PDB file of all heavy atoms in Angstrom:
ATOM      1  N   THR A 244     131.654  11.561 142.988  1.00  0.00           N
ATOM      2  CA  THR A 244     131.683  11.335 141.551  1.00  0.00           C
ATOM      3  C   THR A 244     131.742   9.847 141.230  1.00  0.00           C
ATOM      4  O   THR A 244     132.447   9.087 141.902  1.00  0.00           O
ATOM      5  CB  THR A 244     132.882  12.057 140.903  1.00  0.00           C
ATOM      6  OG1 THR A 244     132.855  11.824 139.497  1.00  0.00           O
ATOM      7  CG2 THR A 244     134.210  11.609 141.471  1.00  0.00           C
ATOM      8  N   THR A 245     130.939   9.448 140.258  1.00  0.00           N
ATOM      9  CA  THR A 245     130.814   8.080 139.733  1.00  0.00           C
ATOM     10  C   THR A 245     130.155   7.101 140.693  1.00  0.00           C
ATOM     11  O   THR A 245     130.003   5.938 140.356  1.00  0.00           O
ATOM     12  CB  THR A 245     132.183   7.507 139.301  1.00  0.00           C
ATOM     13  OG1 THR A 245     132.974   7.212 140.456  1.00  0.00           O
ATOM     14  CG2 THR A 245     132.928   8.457 138.364  1.00  0.00           C
ATOM     15  N   LYS A 246     129.745   7.552 141.871  1.00  0.00           N
ATOM     16  CA  LYS A 246     129.093   6.653 142.828  1.00  0.00           C
ATOM     17  C   LYS A 246     127.568   6.750 142.668  1.00  0.00           C
ATOM     18  O   LYS A 246     127.000   7.848 142.755  1.00  0.00           O
ATOM     19  CB  LYS A 246     129.472   7.006 144.268  1.00  0.00           C
ATOM     20  CG  LYS A 246     130.963   6.869 144.573  1.00  0.00           C
ATOM     21  CD  LYS A 246     131.397   5.402 144.475  1.00  0.00           C
ATOM     22  CE  LYS A 246     132.874   5.246 144.841  1.00  0.00           C
ATOM     23  NZ  LYS A 246     133.313   3.827 144.722  1.00  0.00           N
ATOM     24  N   PRO A 247     126.888   5.615 142.441  1.00  0.00           N
ATOM     25  CA  PRO A 247     125.429   5.634 142.257  1.00  0.00           C
ATOM     26  C   PRO A 247     124.702   6.069 143.534  1.00  0.00           C
ATOM     27  O   PRO A 247     125.150   5.799 144.666  1.00  0.00           O
ATOM     28  CB  PRO A 247     125.096   4.186 141.902  1.00  0.00           C
ATOM     29  CG  PRO A 247     126.385   3.579 141.448  1.00  0.00           C
ATOM     30  CD  PRO A 247     127.453   4.273 142.260  1.00  0.00           C
ATOM     31  N   PHE A 248     123.593   6.724 143.349  1.00  0.00           N
ATOM     32  CA  PHE A 248     122.739   7.135 144.482  1.00  0.00           C
ATOM     33  C   PHE A 248     121.270   7.134 144.028  1.00  0.00           C
ATOM     34  O   PHE A 248     120.974   6.978 142.833  1.00  0.00           O
ATOM     35  CB  PHE A 248     123.156   8.507 145.020  1.00  0.00           C
ATOM     36  CG  PHE A 248     123.074   9.609 144.008  1.00  0.00           C
ATOM     37  CD1 PHE A 248     121.927  10.406 143.897  1.00  0.00           C
ATOM     38  CD2 PHE A 248     124.153   9.880 143.157  1.00  0.00           C
ATOM     39  CE1 PHE A 248     121.871  11.413 142.962  1.00  0.00           C
ATOM     40  CE2 PHE A 248     124.091  10.895 142.221  1.00  0.00           C
ATOM     41  CZ  PHE A 248     122.949  11.665 142.117  1.00  0.00           C
ATOM     42  N   ASP A 249     120.357   7.287 144.982  1.00  0.00           N
ATOM     43  CA  ASP A 249     118.914   7.274 144.721  1.00  0.00           C
ATOM     44  C   ASP A 249     118.349   8.691 144.704  1.00  0.00           C
ATOM     45  O   ASP A 249     118.845   9.587 145.414  1.00  0.00           O
ATOM     46  CB  ASP A 249     118.156   6.483 145.791  1.00  0.00           C
ATOM     47  CG  ASP A 249     118.524   5.010 145.789  1.00  0.00           C
ATOM     48  OD1 ASP A 249     119.124   4.542 144.797  1.00  0.00           O
ATOM     49  OD2 ASP A 249     118.205   4.334 146.789  1.00  0.00           O
ATOM     50  N   ILE A 250     117.318   8.879 143.930  1.00  0.00           N
ATOM     51  CA  ILE A 250     116.529  10.119 143.992  1.00  0.00           C
ATOM     52  C   ILE A 250     115.060   9.736 144.121  1.00  0.00           C
ATOM     53  O   ILE A 250     114.637   8.643 143.712  1.00  0.00           O
ATOM     54  CB  ILE A 250     116.735  11.008 142.738  1.00  0.00           C
ATOM     55  CG1 ILE A 250     116.278  10.273 141.475  1.00  0.00           C
ATOM     56  CG2 ILE A 250     118.175  11.456 142.620  1.00  0.00           C
ATOM     57  CD1 ILE A 250     116.283  11.145 140.226  1.00  0.00           C
ATOM     58  N   VAL A 251     114.283  10.638 144.704  1.00  0.00           N
ATOM     59  CA  VAL A 251     112.838  10.430 144.846  1.00  0.00           C
ATOM     60  C   VAL A 251     112.130  11.537 144.077  1.00  0.00           C
ATOM     61  O   VAL A 251     112.396  12.733 144.307  1.00  0.00           O
ATOM     62  CB  VAL A 251     112.401  10.443 146.325  1.00  0.00           C
ATOM     63  CG1 VAL A 251     110.875  10.271 146.424  1.00  0.00           C
ATOM     64  CG2 VAL A 251     113.112   9.349 147.105  1.00  0.00           C
ATOM     65  N   VAL A 252     111.246  11.143 143.185  1.00  0.00           N
ATOM     66  CA  VAL A 252     110.491  12.101 142.382  1.00  0.00           C
ATOM     67  C   VAL A 252     109.029  12.087 142.850  1.00  0.00           C
ATOM     68  O   VAL A 252     108.402  11.017 142.915  1.00  0.00           O
ATOM     69  CB  VAL A 252     110.563  11.767 140.883  1.00  0.00           C
ATOM     70  CG1 VAL A 252     109.711  12.742 140.071  1.00  0.00           C
ATOM     71  CG2 VAL A 252     112.004  11.780 140.414  1.00  0.00           C
ATOM     72  N   THR A 253     108.511  13.277 143.169  1.00  0.00           N
ATOM     73  CA  THR A 253     107.144  13.391 143.679  1.00  0.00           C
ATOM     74  C   THR A 253     106.379  14.430 142.877  1.00  0.00           C
ATOM     75  O   THR A 253     106.909  15.500 142.566  1.00  0.00           O
ATOM     76  CB  THR A 253     107.143  13.800 145.173  1.00  0.00           C
ATOM     77  OG1 THR A 253     107.965  12.870 145.903  1.00  0.00           O
ATOM     78  CG2 THR A 253     105.740  13.778 145.747  1.00  0.00           C
ATOM     79  N   LEU A 254     105.119  14.113 142.562  1.00  0.00           N
ATOM     80  CA  LEU A 254     104.252  15.004 141.793  1.00  0.00           C
ATOM     81  C   LEU A 254     103.324  15.762 142.747  1.00  0.00           C
ATOM     82  O   LEU A 254     102.682  15.156 143.611  1.00  0.00           O
ATOM     83  CB  LEU A 254     103.411  14.194 140.793  1.00  0.00           C
ATOM     84  CG  LEU A 254     104.163  13.177 139.925  1.00  0.00           C
ATOM     85  CD1 LEU A 254     103.191  12.497 138.965  1.00  0.00           C
ATOM     86  CD2 LEU A 254     105.298  13.847 139.157  1.00  0.00           C
ATOM     87  N   PHE A 255     103.262  17.093 142.583  1.00  0.00           N
ATOM     88  CA  PHE A 255     102.446  17.929 143.465  1.00  0.00           C
ATOM     89  C   PHE A 255     101.435  18.733 142.651  1.00  0.00           C
ATOM     90  O   PHE A 255     101.685  19.097 141.492  1.00  0.00           O
ATOM     91  CB  PHE A 255     103.330  18.911 144.253  1.00  0.00           C
ATOM     92  CG  PHE A 255     104.147  18.265 145.329  1.00  0.00           C
ATOM     93  CD1 PHE A 255     105.418  17.772 145.044  1.00  0.00           C
ATOM     94  CD2 PHE A 255     103.654  18.140 146.620  1.00  0.00           C
ATOM     95  CE1 PHE A 255     106.177  17.187 146.034  1.00  0.00           C
ATOM     96  CE2 PHE A 255     104.410  17.555 147.617  1.00  0.00           C
ATOM     97  CZ  PHE A 255     105.674  17.062 147.318  1.00  0.00           C
ATOM     98  N   ASP A 256     100.304  19.052 143.296  1.00  0.00           N
ATOM     99  CA  ASP A 256      99.361  19.984 142.681  1.00  0.00           C
ATOM    100  C   ASP A 256      99.725  21.409 143.094  1.00  0.00           C
ATOM    101  O   ASP A 256     100.742  21.639 143.766  1.00  0.00           O
ATOM    102  CB  ASP A 256      97.905  19.626 143.032  1.00  0.00           C
ATOM    103  CG  ASP A 256      97.580  19.811 144.512  1.00  0.00           C
ATOM    104  OD1 ASP A 256      98.374  20.400 145.262  1.00  0.00           O
ATOM    105  OD2 ASP A 256      96.480  19.359 144.931  1.00  0.00           O
ATOM    106  N   ALA A 257      98.902  22.369 142.744  1.00  0.00           N
ATOM    107  CA  ALA A 257      99.204  23.773 143.021  1.00  0.00           C
ATOM    108  C   ALA A 257      99.114  24.118 144.501  1.00  0.00           C
ATOM    109  O   ALA A 257      99.550  25.188 144.921  1.00  0.00           O
ATOM    110  CB  ALA A 257      98.245  24.665 142.233  1.00  0.00           C
ATOM    111  N   PHE A 258      98.549  23.206 145.321  1.00  0.00           N
ATOM    112  CA  PHE A 258      98.331  23.503 146.745  1.00  0.00           C
ATOM    113  C   PHE A 258      99.258  22.699 147.649  1.00  0.00           C
ATOM    114  O   PHE A 258      99.060  22.650 148.861  1.00  0.00           O
ATOM    115  CB  PHE A 258      96.868  23.226 147.103  1.00  0.00           C
ATOM    116  CG  PHE A 258      95.906  23.827 146.120  1.00  0.00           C
ATOM    117  CD1 PHE A 258      95.294  23.039 145.154  1.00  0.00           C
ATOM    118  CD2 PHE A 258      95.646  25.189 146.133  1.00  0.00           C
ATOM    119  CE1 PHE A 258      94.426  23.604 144.227  1.00  0.00           C
ATOM    120  CE2 PHE A 258      94.786  25.757 145.212  1.00  0.00           C
ATOM    121  CZ  PHE A 258      94.168  24.955 144.253  1.00  0.00           C
TER     122      PHE A 258
END
Side-chain angles (χ1 to χ4, degrees):
T244 181
T245 72
K246 298 294 183 181
F248 60 94
D249 295 344
I250 62 173
V251 178
V252 177
T253 306
L254 311 182
F255 288 89
D256 67 11
F258 312 102

